[in-house]
Amino acid sequence: MTTEFPPLPNGPEFNAKFDGAISDLKIDTTALDDAKDKEQKEAVIDAGLRSLDHYKRALPKWRYDLRQQALPLIRWETPYLAWVQAKLRSPALDSYFAITANLGTHTFFMIGLPIMFWCGFSSFGKGLVHILASGVFFTGFVKDFFSLPRPLSPPLHRITMSGSAALEYGFPSTHSANAVSVAVYAVLCLRSPENAFQPNTKSALEALSYFYAVSIVLGRLYCGMHGFVDVIIGSIMGAVITLVEFYYGPPLELYLQQNGWSAVVTAVLTIIVLVRVHPEPADDCPCFDDSVCFAGVMIGLEVGTWHFTQSPFAAIPFDLHALGWAAVILRVLFGVFVVFIWREVAKPTLLKTLPHIFRLIETWGLSLPRRFFMPASEYKNIPLRLKVDNVLPSVSDLPGLITAVRHPRRGRSVSIGPQSAADAYETLAYRERRRKESNASLRSKASIQELGKERAGHSSAVNSRQQKPSDFEKQMGEGTVVVSPADSKKPDGDPDLYIGQQDELGEKEVFSKLVKPRVRYDVEVITKLVVYAGIAWFAVEGVPILFEFIPGLGAGHLQPR
């Protein structure tokens, strides 16, 4: 009897042909040992493994060492996350957590927070802006510093309504930081002696705050977007930021008001310095973009509130009963309109004019290059309709947002496989680790029969419904890259999910499946700072002043003479 075996998928080539019973065959690992010795002597890194050295080359040694110490935690928790997700998954929960995740996004707060300043809650609104802007900036700072991937997919399924979220690093969770900071701040304000709400109202609002935070944090785990470490550290950061704002924010505000322009300019310069020292990421990650946007918001907020308090308009109180609901709704609509007009006018204007200034600065040798941003000397023009951020939607995005709210299943997508460069590098790195472990295990097998049983068991565990976390661990680093958005033609609108088990993608194939990052221009940083500083200024000063010049929207004429 002659038995022929195909080449093994891992390690050096291992072909066997023999006569006799399979049980009589023993594995000769001499070739494997020789290959290992040869590999150790090789000084040149194989081209197919260069991705495994990506972070070592892209990060300073001390940052790389810190990343390597934290990475095992991300890998360890992934199979447990996948096991929990598989146990809990249902179409209803998919839709619920995908929709509620929007309540922790930058877009939700950027649209909602200005309303606070137009409806008599300026102090509360400013506190929320401080904690949310700080949360987005500092979580983005830590994300780029460590450059840690999200938990691997597969085995996790990523459920989201935002295509940009998965492009960011995973550690820590900005959603969790935002949700916890808002909840803690709300609870502290509700328990403040100055709060005039009735006890029952306080209790209801406090319970709502807890539910909001828990729902967002658990949703990040359920949706496969973050791990336990991500949400825990993100939540801690959110709570700490809120405590600092609640107890030290008012004294700092008083200091700025009493020390005039010098204090405000110092605050603005401090924010700009923080933007400049923001860590360079190892990959093209949009975390920095979000941080810059909210740094701009902080600049506009501080300048606007300081100047507004010096004007007579600051003495005009908001009176809902005197204005009426119709006038309040019109104020909100007018304010949102002004903010969108400013953004639609300022952004293309800056993108058109700033490159000329930047080219001149480059000739003086004063350019401040940043990785993944093209300097002005290397391009001629910028597309005026370029989407430079995901914080605030443009007018053209509004129909899509309305459709997503009306038909959430159409906007929801479930993806399996790498979505960002960080995902792809981690998939390849984990795959290589498993291959090395597999090669090592060959030496401990007594026969081909034993090896065949192990591989058969592995295959059945992958293809059957998983019951243990260890079964999900076998999927890590495997599978083809599949993104399957919900098919609206199906009766229930649920997406089809596929995991390719039979062949793993190579390095080139993994990266070819990713969405290619757009070209990013050096002028975008200043553009974001100016545009979002302007949005904040209009929210806290420009729009409230305009109210007083538009009949029916102002409250100054309602005050007793």
Side-chain angles (χ1 to χ4, degrees), residues 53-80:
D53 252 9
H54 168 70
Y55 292 97
K56 194 171 186 177
R57 289 182 283 109
L59 297 174
K61 184 179 184 305
W62 63 281
R63 280 177 59 188
Y64 173 76
D65 291 340
L66 289 173
R67 181 184 186 275
Q68 291 304 103
Q69 292 177 20
L71 189 57
L73 284 174
I74 308 298
R75 293 174 173 174
W76 169 82
E77 66 183 358
T78 298
Y80 296 95

Side-chain angles (χ1 to χ4, degrees), residues 45 86 92 101 126 144 170 249 370 428 436 474 508:
I45 300 175
K126 186 173 184 179
D144 281 349
R370 186 172 178 87
L428 295 171
K436 290 179 179 178
K474 297 172 184 176
K508 291 183 179 179

Side-chain angles (χ1 to χ4, degrees), residues 140-164:
F141 192 99
V142 177
K143 282 181 177 181
D144 281 349
F145 179 88
F146 283 97
S147 300
L148 284 168
R150 295 178 183 272
L152 271 177
S153 171
L156 281 164
H157 298 177
R158 290 179 180 166
I159 308 163
T160 181
M161 295 181 71
S162 171
S164 63

